[in-house]
Amino acid sequence: MKLLVVGSVAFDAIETPFGKTDKILGGAATYITLASSVLGVDSGIVSVVGGDFPQADLDMLTGRNINIEGIEIVKDGKTFFWSGKYHNDLNSRDTLVTEVNVLEHFDPKIPDSMQDAEVLLLGNLHPGVQLSVLEKMKNKPKLVILDTMNFWMDTAWDILMEMIAKTDVISINDEEARQLSGEYSLVKAAQKIHELGPKFVIIKKGEHGALLFHDGKIFSIPALPLEVVFDPTGAGDTFAGGFGAHLAKTENFSFENMKSAIIVGSALASFTVEKFGTERLKEVTNQDLKNRIEEFKNLTSFEVTL
Amino acid sequence: MKLLVVGSVAFDAIETPFGKTDKILGGAATYITLASSVLGVDSGIVSVVGGDFPQADLDMLTGRNINIEGIEIVKDGKTFFWSGKYHNDLNSRDTLVTEVNVLEHFDPKIPDSMQDAEVLLLGNLHPGVQLSVLEKMKNKPKLVILDTMNFWMDTAWDILMEMIAKTDVISINDEEARQLSGEYSLVKAAQKIHELGPKFVIIKKGEHGALLFHDGKIFSIPALPLEVVFDPTGAGDTFAGGFGAHLAKTENFSFENMKSAIIVGSALASFTVEKFGTERLKEVTNQDLKNRIEEFKNLTSFEVTL
């Protein structure tokens, strides 16, 4: 199946305890489709960049078989730019600069070549934009995966609710799940979020892993304990990309296969954090991924005989 | 194998968002041996209580085949008492009262009937007391498991280091591991703690589960996601008790079996938090435990085909 990804293609400038970068390639759709390309899934991006966006980066995406017909280039506009500084624990960060630029008036256009995508992954953007993409698809996708954040809960609640009602799988972090549901217990939070629409609820817990809830069942996976987390930027998007791409590739939306998809997403995200930006993710081979999944297996498998 | 447990036998008064208790039975050694009794392991307690300690509680322990010859009763003394109030998230708490009482001059005495215990579980006490127990054992135990806390790092560093050097398995929480090692990354923290002596390092992460480190290998287990955590008191001690008892029962100290022991401990701890104090743990049957372990299996198992 084809994977259609809507989200930012952007510049980031990142500072961590280990160093800092100038403006480098970033954006949710970038990480998502790069993750997808490791699995060899046909994916396409719907996004917008400015005239300042390097042709080399577009070529890099195309070279990885990512359809960029849906990336609008606003010649006299500037690309979305985010700059942030991570604290020593790498679990929290300060945003230094956010220049929305061409994303402010983003009117997504779906190229004909991607109208038949069966899996739609809506990266974190204004829920109104996410909704408009869904409405513009001539064929209703078989699976809608939504990433969102607390900012939209604060500023666009009603339309976010409308978007969530049309979502099959929602992916949010623990604090966002608590805000969205008003429940502290993540089990109760997931129950309330199910009632809003999504049959599958993924709750991301950063260094503590992730949970998947569906129909009274729960799957829990720890994050791979890493000696050094170099740069967490893009980890969540990489996770979503690996997740969505595995589902598109296997064409199976069962709970059991969603568990596999979460492992694939977690494994890919564990590469992303090893270097700045997309640097490490771009190098990952299918064999690297297989080895990392084996590490997850070793990390979590056990037998008990009482 | 026999399991010898050194730790507090105490009174707790607990307040949670769901209610409060008067003085009820508590203490690390109590939870540890009750957990052990679910597995049918021969265990004994070395501790001290005051003349105010109810005979009925002693009888309850004896009735569960727990050897209490090592519980000294100081007739004119008062039993250790702790009172605390949990915050709404149940992850943090305020201590309201700590009355050390008879524990202040605790001079542990190991009854002859427990001198042949092969597994020694040192519950959280002053490291000098823990060390004295080890020195008083005529036969060196085959496995020494140590629980400790940040308070002793702050107040008794040198003797704590001496105790840790003689420890096979140390069990501490994530913040304590960071304090003990001076490392934020738990992988690095575990490496440094290995260098202090323990071949096995368990790092407890509360609602996020636990990690086991040994010889470059890592095992990670999430906590069972619970709809309601009623009272977290004793969860860590129950975990340690289930862990130690499984090892004593199976007489196998390999990494693979330590993984199983961690599952048993986690499963038992998930019962403890369901009611106040020891109430739920006392009811747990071997079949309950098997079912809960099956839930852990379902929670964490996955297959990935790329």
Side-chain angles (χ1 to χ4, degrees):
Chain A
M1 290 180 176
K2 276 188 196 171
L3 174 68
L4 180 61
V5 178
V6 186
S8 58
V9 172
F11 293 131
D12 292 337
I14 302 159
E15 189 172 342
T16 80
F18 307 106
K20 59 188 292 184
T21 69
D22 291 329
K23 279 189 181 186
I24 58 172
L25 176 63
T30 308
Y31 285 101
I32 292 168
T33 51
L34 285 176
S36 167
S37 74
V38 176
L39 298 185
V41 167
D42 282 342
S43 70
I45 298 177
V46 169
S47 191
V48 60
V49 295
D52 58 345
F53 195 78
Q55 186 62 39
D57 284 337
L58 293 172
D59 292 346
M60 184 276 292
L61 294 171
T62 310
R64 299 183 72 108
N65 210 22
I66 297 165
N67 182 330
I68 60 163
E69 286 174 37
I71 303 184
E72 182 186 359
I73 302 173
V74 180
K75 288 279 180 232
D76 57 351
K78 287 181 71 183
T79 301
F80 178 91
F81 172 59
W82 174 83
S83 170
K85 181 178 174 171
Y86 288 89
H87 302 161
N88 279 333
D89 65 7
L90 286 146
N91 274 325
S92 54
R93 66 187 188 188
D94 293 324
T95 289
L96 305 176
V97 179
T98 305
E99 293 175 8
V100 180
N101 296 333
V102 293
L103 259 186
E104 190 172 353
H105 301 291
F106 176 37
D107 179 26
K109 291 165 198 73
I110 301 166
D112 287 343
S113 55
M114 290 305 296
Q115 278 286 0
D116 57 345
E118 293 95 338
V119 179
L120 174 62
L121 202 168
L122 297 163
N124 174 36
L125 286 174
H126 191 291
V129 173
Q130 294 175 319
L131 200 58
S132 78
V133 170
L134 187 57
E135 284 163 355
K136 284 172 186 171
M137 288 196 76
K138 289 171 194 154
N139 306 306
K140 191 175 171 299
K142 295 202 168 98
L143 192 76
V144 177
I145 305 168
L146 181 76
D147 192 8
T148 188
M149 70 185 295
N150 50 358
F151 182 75
W152 310 118
M153 299 174 200
D154 294 333
T155 60
W157 180 264
D158 289 350
I159 194 151
L160 177 61
M161 286 303 114
E162 207 179 321
M163 181 63 239
I164 289 176
K166 296 182 174 174
T167 294
D168 298 302
V169 186
I170 187 170
S171 170
I172 49 182
N173 73 29
D174 43 3
E175 281 320 304
E176 290 157 356
R178 287 175 173 135
Q179 183 171 347
L180 189 58
S181 65
E183 293 285 349
Y184 183 82
S185 150
L186 296 179
V187 178
K188 285 191 183 174
Q191 285 165 357
K192 287 219 173 165
I193 297 168
H194 283 315
E195 288 167 18
L196 302 177
K199 290 197 179 65
F200 296 88
V201 175
I202 297 172
I203 300 182
K204 297 173 285 184
K205 302 196 296 173
E207 63 163 335
H208 301 300
L211 295 161
L212 169 68
F213 296 86
H214 171 67
D215 197 19
K217 295 191 287 286
I218 311 179
F219 175 58
S220 180
I221 179 77
L224 204 66
L226 296 170
E227 208 165 314
V228 176
V229 172
F230 191 84
D231 170 21
T233 311
D237 297 317
T238 305
F239 171 84
F243 175 81
H246 181 76
L247 296 177
K249 185 175 182 176
T250 53
E251 309 191 356
N252 173 348
F253 306 150
S254 68
F255 179 69
E256 285 303 314
N257 200 46
M258 294 249 178
K259 285 162 60 173
S260 309
I262 280 188
I263 298 295
V264 171
S266 300
L268 285 171
S270 77
F271 288 112
T272 292
V273 304
E274 289 180 353
K275 293 189 181 178
F276 272 128
T278 60
E279 201 179 332
R280 182 70 183 96
L281 181 59
K282 281 194 288 189
E283 299 166 345
V284 175
T285 65
N286 201 271
Q287 189 57 48
D288 293 336
L289 177 58
K290 280 183 179 162
N291 294 345
R292 191 68 47 112
I293 288 170
E294 195 57 31
E295 285 186 54
F296 269 96
K297 197 89 196 167
N298 291 335
L299 179 70
T300 59
S301 64
F302 62 86
E303 288 301 331
V304 183
T305 313
L306 281 191
Chain B
M1 291 182 177
K2 275 189 195 169
L3 174 68
L4 179 62
V5 178
V6 185
S8 58
V9 173
F11 293 131
D12 292 337
I14 303 158
E15 188 172 343
T16 79
F18 306 106
K20 59 188 292 185
T21 70
D22 292 329
K23 278 189 181 185
I24 57 172
L25 176 63
T30 309
Y31 285 101
I32 292 168
T33 52
L34 285 175
S36 167
S37 74
V38 177
L39 298 185
V41 167
D42 283 341
S43 69
I45 298 178
V46 169
S47 192
V48 61
V49 295
D52 57 345
F53 195 78
Q55 185 61 40
D57 284 338
L58 292 173
D59 292 346
M60 184 277 291
L61 295 171
T62 309
R64 300 182 72 107
N65 210 23
I66 297 165
N67 182 329
I68 62 163
E69 288 174 35
I71 303 185
E72 183 187 358
I73 301 174
V74 179
K75 289 281 180 227
D76 57 351
K78 287 181 71 184
T79 301
F80 179 91
F81 172 59
W82 174 83
S83 170
K85 182 177 174 172
Y86 287 88
H87 302 162
N88 279 334
D89 64 8
L90 287 148
N91 273 325
S92 53
R93 67 187 188 186
D94 293 325
T95 289
L96 303 176
V97 178
T98 305
E99 293 175 7
V100 179
N101 296 333
V102 293
L103 259 186
E104 190 171 351
H105 301 292
F106 176 37
D107 180 25
K109 292 167 197 72
I110 303 167
D112 286 344
S113 54
M114 289 305 294
Q115 276 288 1
D116 57 344
E118 294 95 339
V119 178
L120 174 63
L121 203 168
L122 298 162
N124 174 35
L125 286 174
H126 189 292
V129 173
Q130 295 175 317
L131 200 58
S132 79
V133 171
L134 187 57
E135 284 162 357
K136 285 171 185 170
M137 288 196 76
K138 289 171 195 154
N139 306 305
K140 191 175 171 298
K142 294 202 170 98
L143 192 76
V144 177
I145 305 169
L146 180 77
D147 192 8
T148 188
M149 70 185 294
N150 50 359
F151 181 75
W152 309 118
M153 298 174 201
D154 293 334
T155 61
W157 180 265
D158 289 350
I159 194 150
L160 177 61
M161 286 302 114
E162 207 179 321
M163 181 63 239
I164 290 176
K166 297 181 174 174
T167 294
D168 298 302
V169 186
I170 187 171
S171 169
I172 48 181
N173 74 29
D174 42 3
E175 281 320 304
E176 290 157 357
R178 286 174 174 137
Q179 182 171 346
L180 189 57
S181 65
E183 293 285 350
Y184 184 82
S185 150
L186 296 179
V187 178
K188 286 190 183 177
Q191 285 165 357
K192 287 219 173 166
I193 296 168
H194 284 314
E195 288 166 18
L196 302 176
K199 290 196 179 67
F200 295 88
V201 175
I202 297 172
I203 300 181
K204 296 174 286 186
K205 301 196 295 171
E207 64 164 332
H208 300 301
L211 295 161
L212 169 68
F213 296 87
H214 171 66
D215 196 19
K217 297 192 285 287
I218 311 178
F219 175 57
S220 179
I221 180 76
L224 204 67
L226 296 170
E227 207 164 316
V228 176
V229 172
F230 191 82
D231 169 20
T233 310
D237 297 317
T238 305
F239 171 83
F243 176 80
H246 181 76
L247 296 177
K249 185 175 184 179
T250 52
E251 309 190 354
N252 173 347
F253 306 150
S254 68
F255 179 69
E256 284 304 314
N257 200 45
M258 294 248 178
K259 286 161 61 173
S260 308
I262 280 188
I263 298 296
V264 171
S266 300
L268 285 171
S270 76
F271 289 113
T272 291
V273 303
E274 289 180 354
K275 293 190 181 176
F276 272 128
T278 59
E279 201 179 334
R280 182 71 182 97
L281 182 58
K282 282 193 289 189
E283 300 166 345
V284 175
T285 64
N286 200 271
Q287 188 58 48
D288 292 336
L289 176 57
K290 280 184 180 162
N291 295 345
R292 191 65 50 108
I293 288 170
E294 196 56 32
E295 284 187 55
F296 268 95
K297 197 89 195 165
N298 291 336
L299 178 70
T300 59
S301 64
F302 61 86
E303 288 300 329
V304 183
T305 312
L306 280 192

Short mmCIF file of all heavy atoms in Angstrom, two decimals, chain B residues 59-98:
data_model
loop_
_atom_site.label_atom_id
_atom_site.label_comp_id
_atom_site.label_asym_id
_atom_site.label_seq_id
_atom_site.Cartn_x
_atom_site.Cartn_y
_atom_site.Cartn_z
N ASP B 59 1.18 -13.89 64.54
CA ASP B 59 0.55 -15.18 64.24
C ASP B 59 0.24 -15.31 62.75
O ASP B 59 0.37 -16.38 62.17
CB ASP B 59 -0.74 -15.34 65.05
CG ASP B 59 -0.46 -15.49 66.55
OD1 ASP B 59 0.71 -15.74 66.90
OD2 ASP B 59 -1.41 -15.34 67.34
N MET B 60 -0.18 -14.20 62.18
CA MET B 60 -0.47 -14.21 60.73
C MET B 60 0.79 -14.60 59.94
O MET B 60 0.75 -15.43 59.03
CB MET B 60 -0.99 -12.82 60.30
CG MET B 60 -1.41 -12.70 58.85
SD MET B 60 -0.04 -12.40 57.70
CE MET B 60 0.42 -10.72 58.18
N LEU B 61 1.92 -14.01 60.33
CA LEU B 61 3.19 -14.33 59.64
C LEU B 61 3.54 -15.81 59.85
O LEU B 61 3.84 -16.53 58.89
CB LEU B 61 4.31 -13.43 60.15
CG LEU B 61 4.16 -11.93 59.85
CD1 LEU B 61 5.24 -11.12 60.59
CD2 LEU B 61 4.25 -11.65 58.35
N THR B 62 3.46 -16.25 61.09
CA THR B 62 3.78 -17.65 61.38
C THR B 62 2.87 -18.59 60.61
O THR B 62 3.30 -19.61 60.08
CB THR B 62 3.63 -17.92 62.90
OG1 THR B 62 4.37 -16.91 63.60
CG2 THR B 62 4.18 -19.28 63.27
N GLY B 63 1.60 -18.19 60.54
CA GLY B 63 0.62 -19.01 59.83
C GLY B 63 0.94 -19.15 58.35
O GLY B 63 0.45 -20.07 57.68
N ARG B 64 1.76 -18.23 57.84
CA ARG B 64 2.16 -18.31 56.43
C ARG B 64 3.54 -18.94 56.29
O ARG B 64 4.21 -18.76 55.27
CB ARG B 64 2.10 -16.93 55.80
CG ARG B 64 0.69 -16.34 55.85
CD ARG B 64 0.65 -15.00 55.18
NE ARG B 64 0.76 -15.14 53.76
CZ ARG B 64 -0.23 -14.97 52.90
NH1 ARG B 64 -1.43 -14.64 53.33
NH2 ARG B 64 -0.04 -15.11 51.62
N ASN B 65 3.94 -19.66 57.34
CA ASN B 65 5.21 -20.38 57.29
C ASN B 65 6.41 -19.44 57.23
O ASN B 65 7.45 -19.78 56.65
CB ASN B 65 5.21 -21.34 56.10
CG ASN B 65 6.07 -22.56 56.37
OD1 ASN B 65 6.29 -22.89 57.54
ND2 ASN B 65 6.56 -23.18 55.32
N ILE B 66 6.26 -18.24 57.79
CA ILE B 66 7.38 -17.30 57.87
C ILE B 66 8.01 -17.45 59.26
O ILE B 66 7.31 -17.35 60.27
CB ILE B 66 6.88 -15.85 57.64
CG1 ILE B 66 6.30 -15.72 56.22
CG2 ILE B 66 8.01 -14.85 57.86
CD1 ILE B 66 5.46 -14.49 55.99
N ASN B 67 9.30 -17.71 59.28
CA ASN B 67 10.04 -17.90 60.53
C ASN B 67 10.24 -16.54 61.19
O ASN B 67 10.90 -15.66 60.63
CB ASN B 67 11.38 -18.56 60.19
CG ASN B 67 12.22 -18.86 61.42
OD1 ASN B 67 12.16 -18.13 62.42
ND2 ASN B 67 13.01 -19.92 61.34
N ILE B 68 9.66 -16.35 62.40
CA ILE B 68 9.77 -15.04 63.06
C ILE B 68 10.67 -15.10 64.30
O ILE B 68 10.68 -14.17 65.11
CB ILE B 68 8.38 -14.49 63.46
CG1 ILE B 68 7.68 -15.43 64.46
CG2 ILE B 68 7.51 -14.26 62.24
CD1 ILE B 68 6.53 -14.76 65.20
N GLU B 69 11.44 -16.19 64.41
CA GLU B 69 12.35 -16.28 65.57
C GLU B 69 13.32 -15.11 65.62
O GLU B 69 13.80 -14.75 66.70
CB GLU B 69 13.15 -17.58 65.50
CG GLU B 69 12.33 -18.83 65.81
CD GLU B 69 13.16 -20.10 65.58
OE1 GLU B 69 14.38 -20.09 65.84
OE2 GLU B 69 12.57 -21.09 65.11
N GLY B 70 13.61 -14.54 64.47
CA GLY B 70 14.56 -13.42 64.41
C GLY B 70 13.91 -12.06 64.63
O GLY B 70 14.56 -11.03 64.49
N ILE B 71 12.61 -12.04 64.94
CA ILE B 71 11.98 -10.74 65.27
C ILE B 71 12.09 -10.53 66.77
O ILE B 71 11.38 -11.16 67.56
CB ILE B 71 10.49 -10.69 64.84
CG1 ILE B 71 10.35 -10.96 63.33
CG2 ILE B 71 9.90 -9.32 65.19
CD1 ILE B 71 8.92 -10.81 62.80
N GLU B 72 12.94 -9.64 67.16
CA GLU B 72 13.10 -9.31 68.58
C GLU B 72 11.93 -8.43 69.02
O GLU B 72 11.51 -7.53 68.29
CB GLU B 72 14.42 -8.56 68.76
CG GLU B 72 14.74 -8.22 70.21
CD GLU B 72 15.98 -7.32 70.32
OE1 GLU B 72 16.60 -7.01 69.27
OE2 GLU B 72 16.31 -6.93 71.44
N ILE B 73 11.41 -8.73 70.22
CA ILE B 73 10.32 -7.90 70.74
C ILE B 73 10.84 -7.12 71.95
O ILE B 73 11.20 -7.71 72.98
CB ILE B 73 9.10 -8.76 71.14
CG1 ILE B 73 8.61 -9.55 69.92
CG2 ILE B 73 7.98 -7.87 71.69
CD1 ILE B 73 7.50 -10.54 70.22
N VAL B 74 10.93 -5.82 71.83
CA VAL B 74 11.37 -4.97 72.93
C VAL B 74 10.12 -4.53 73.69
O VAL B 74 9.38 -3.65 73.25
CB VAL B 74 12.15 -3.73 72.40
CG1 VAL B 74 12.59 -2.84 73.56
CG2 VAL B 74 13.33 -4.17 71.57
N LYS B 75 9.89 -5.21 74.82
CA LYS B 75 8.61 -5.07 75.53
C LYS B 75 8.26 -3.61 75.84
O LYS B 75 7.11 -3.18 75.67
CB LYS B 75 8.65 -5.86 76.87
CG LYS B 75 8.64 -7.37 76.69
CD LYS B 75 7.23 -7.90 76.41
CE LYS B 75 7.25 -9.42 76.24
NZ LYS B 75 6.49 -9.84 75.05
N ASP B 76 9.24 -2.85 76.31
CA ASP B 76 8.93 -1.47 76.70
C ASP B 76 9.24 -0.47 75.58
O ASP B 76 9.32 0.73 75.81
CB ASP B 76 9.68 -1.10 77.98
CG ASP B 76 11.19 -1.28 77.81
OD1 ASP B 76 11.60 -1.86 76.76
OD2 ASP B 76 11.96 -0.86 78.70
N GLY B 77 9.40 -0.99 74.37
CA GLY B 77 9.66 -0.10 73.24
C GLY B 77 8.45 0.00 72.33
O GLY B 77 7.46 -0.74 72.48
N LYS B 78 8.53 0.94 71.40
CA LYS B 78 7.44 1.10 70.42
C LYS B 78 7.91 0.72 69.02
O LYS B 78 9.07 0.95 68.64
CB LYS B 78 6.94 2.56 70.42
CG LYS B 78 6.13 2.93 71.66
CD LYS B 78 5.63 4.37 71.60
CE LYS B 78 4.54 4.56 70.56
NZ LYS B 78 4.14 6.00 70.46
N THR B 79 7.01 0.18 68.26
CA THR B 79 7.30 -0.28 66.90
C THR B 79 7.51 0.93 65.97
O THR B 79 6.86 1.97 66.13
CB THR B 79 6.12 -1.14 66.39
OG1 THR B 79 5.97 -2.24 67.27
CG2 THR B 79 6.35 -1.63 64.97
N PHE B 80 8.41 0.77 65.01
CA PHE B 80 8.64 1.80 63.97
C PHE B 80 7.30 2.20 63.36
O PHE B 80 6.46 1.36 63.05
CB PHE B 80 9.56 1.22 62.88
CG PHE B 80 9.84 2.17 61.74
CD1 PHE B 80 10.94 3.02 61.77
CD2 PHE B 80 9.00 2.21 60.62
CE1 PHE B 80 11.20 3.89 60.71
CE2 PHE B 80 9.25 3.08 59.57
CZ PHE B 80 10.36 3.91 59.61
N PHE B 81 7.12 3.51 63.18
CA PHE B 81 5.86 4.02 62.62
C PHE B 81 6.15 5.06 61.55
O PHE B 81 6.93 5.98 61.74
CB PHE B 81 5.02 4.65 63.74
CG PHE B 81 3.79 5.37 63.25
CD1 PHE B 81 2.81 4.72 62.50
CD2 PHE B 81 3.61 6.73 63.53
CE1 PHE B 81 1.69 5.40 62.05
CE2 PHE B 81 2.48 7.42 63.07
CZ PHE B 81 1.52 6.75 62.34
N TRP B 82 5.49 4.86 60.40
CA TRP B 82 5.61 5.84 59.31
C TRP B 82 4.21 6.25 58.88
O TRP B 82 3.30 5.42 58.78
CB TRP B 82 6.35 5.22 58.12
CG TRP B 82 6.39 6.12 56.91
CD1 TRP B 82 7.26 7.13 56.67
CD2 TRP B 82 5.50 6.07 55.77
NE1 TRP B 82 6.98 7.74 55.47
CE2 TRP B 82 5.91 7.12 54.90
CE3 TRP B 82 4.42 5.27 55.40
CZ2 TRP B 82 5.26 7.37 53.68
CZ3 TRP B 82 3.77 5.53 54.20
CH2 TRP B 82 4.19 6.56 53.35
N SER B 83 4.07 7.53 58.63
CA SER B 83 2.80 8.01 58.10
C SER B 83 3.07 8.91 56.90
O SER B 83 3.98 9.74 56.93
CB SER B 83 2.05 8.79 59.19
OG SER B 83 0.94 9.43 58.63
N GLY B 84 2.29 8.69 55.84
CA GLY B 84 2.53 9.47 54.63
C GLY B 84 1.25 9.73 53.87
O GLY B 84 0.24 9.03 54.05
N LYS B 85 1.33 10.76 53.05
CA LYS B 85 0.19 11.14 52.24
C LYS B 85 0.61 11.21 50.78
O LYS B 85 1.55 11.94 50.43
CB LYS B 85 -0.31 12.52 52.70
CG LYS B 85 -1.53 13.00 51.95
CD LYS B 85 -2.03 14.33 52.48
CE LYS B 85 -3.17 14.83 51.59
NZ LYS B 85 -3.84 16.00 52.15
N TYR B 86 -0.06 10.44 49.94
CA TYR B 86 0.28 10.42 48.52
C TYR B 86 -0.42 11.57 47.79
O TYR B 86 -1.55 11.93 48.12
CB TYR B 86 -0.14 9.09 47.89
CG TYR B 86 0.76 7.97 48.31
CD1 TYR B 86 0.50 7.24 49.47
CD2 TYR B 86 1.91 7.66 47.57
CE1 TYR B 86 1.36 6.22 49.88
CE2 TYR B 86 2.75 6.65 47.98
CZ TYR B 86 2.47 5.93 49.13
OH TYR B 86 3.32 4.94 49.53
N HIS B 87 0.27 12.11 46.81
CA HIS B 87 -0.32 13.16 45.97
C HIS B 87 -1.28 12.52 44.97
O HIS B 87 -1.35 11.30 44.86
CB HIS B 87 0.79 13.94 45.25
CG HIS B 87 1.76 14.56 46.21
ND1 HIS B 87 2.99 15.00 45.83
CD2 HIS B 87 1.66 14.80 47.54
CE1 HIS B 87 3.63 15.48 46.89
NE2 HIS B 87 2.85 15.37 47.93
N ASN B 88 -1.98 13.37 44.24
CA ASN B 88 -3.00 12.86 43.33
C ASN B 88 -2.46 11.91 42.27
O ASN B 88 -3.15 11.01 41.82
CB ASN B 88 -3.74 14.02 42.66
CG ASN B 88 -4.81 14.58 43.58
OD1 ASN B 88 -5.33 13.87 44.44
ND2 ASN B 88 -5.13 15.85 43.41
N ASP B 89 -1.21 12.12 41.85
CA ASP B 89 -0.66 11.26 40.79
C ASP B 89 -0.15 9.93 41.36
O ASP B 89 0.24 9.05 40.60
CB ASP B 89 0.46 11.98 40.02
CG ASP B 89 1.64 12.31 40.89
OD1 ASP B 89 1.69 11.86 42.05
OD2 ASP B 89 2.55 13.02 40.41
N LEU B 90 -0.11 9.81 42.68
CA LEU B 90 0.35 8.62 43.39
C LEU B 90 1.81 8.28 43.11
O LEU B 90 2.30 7.23 43.52
CB LEU B 90 -0.55 7.41 43.08
CG LEU B 90 -1.90 7.50 43.77
CD1 LEU B 90 -2.99 6.85 42.95
CD2 LEU B 90 -1.84 6.86 45.15
N ASN B 91 2.49 9.16 42.39
CA ASN B 91 3.91 8.94 42.13
C ASN B 91 4.79 9.63 43.14
O ASN B 91 5.99 9.39 43.20
CB ASN B 91 4.29 9.44 40.73
CG ASN B 91 4.05 8.40 39.68
OD1 ASN B 91 4.23 7.22 39.93
ND2 ASN B 91 3.62 8.83 38.51
N SER B 92 4.22 10.52 43.92
CA SER B 92 5.01 11.25 44.91
C SER B 92 4.20 11.30 46.20
O SER B 92 2.98 11.13 46.19
CB SER B 92 5.31 12.66 44.40
OG SER B 92 4.12 13.30 44.02
N ARG B 93 4.90 11.53 47.28
CA ARG B 93 4.21 11.51 48.57
C ARG B 93 4.95 12.39 49.56
O ARG B 93 6.15 12.66 49.40
CB ARG B 93 4.13 10.08 49.11
CG ARG B 93 5.48 9.49 49.47
CD ARG B 93 5.39 8.01 49.84
NE ARG B 93 6.67 7.52 50.35
CZ ARG B 93 6.91 6.25 50.64
NH1 ARG B 93 5.99 5.33 50.43
NH2 ARG B 93 8.08 5.88 51.12
N ASP B 94 4.24 12.83 50.56
CA ASP B 94 4.85 13.56 51.67
C ASP B 94 4.87 12.64 52.88
O ASP B 94 3.87 11.99 53.19
CB ASP B 94 4.03 14.81 52.02
CG ASP B 94 4.08 15.85 50.91
OD1 ASP B 94 5.13 15.96 50.26
OD2 ASP B 94 3.05 16.53 50.70
N THR B 95 6.02 12.60 53.55
CA THR B 95 6.08 11.88 54.82
C THR B 95 5.54 12.80 55.90
O THR B 95 5.98 13.94 56.04
CB THR B 95 7.53 11.46 55.12
OG1 THR B 95 7.89 10.41 54.23
CG2 THR B 95 7.67 10.96 56.56
N LEU B 96 4.56 12.33 56.64
CA LEU B 96 3.95 13.16 57.70
C LEU B 96 4.64 12.88 59.04
O LEU B 96 4.90 13.78 59.80
CB LEU B 96 2.45 12.87 57.79
CG LEU B 96 1.66 13.07 56.49
CD1 LEU B 96 0.19 12.67 56.68
CD2 LEU B 96 1.74 14.53 56.02
N VAL B 97 4.90 11.62 59.30
CA VAL B 97 5.51 11.23 60.58
C VAL B 97 6.48 10.08 60.31
O VAL B 97 6.17 9.17 59.55
CB VAL B 97 4.42 10.71 61.56
CG1 VAL B 97 5.07 10.26 62.89
CG2 VAL B 97 3.35 11.75 61.82
N THR B 98 7.66 10.15 60.93
CA THR B 98 8.53 8.99 61.00
C THR B 98 8.97 8.83 62.44
O THR B 98 9.67 9.68 62.97
CB THR B 98 9.80 9.14 60.12
OG1 THR B 98 9.41 9.44 58.78
CG2 THR B 98 10.63 7.87 60.13
#
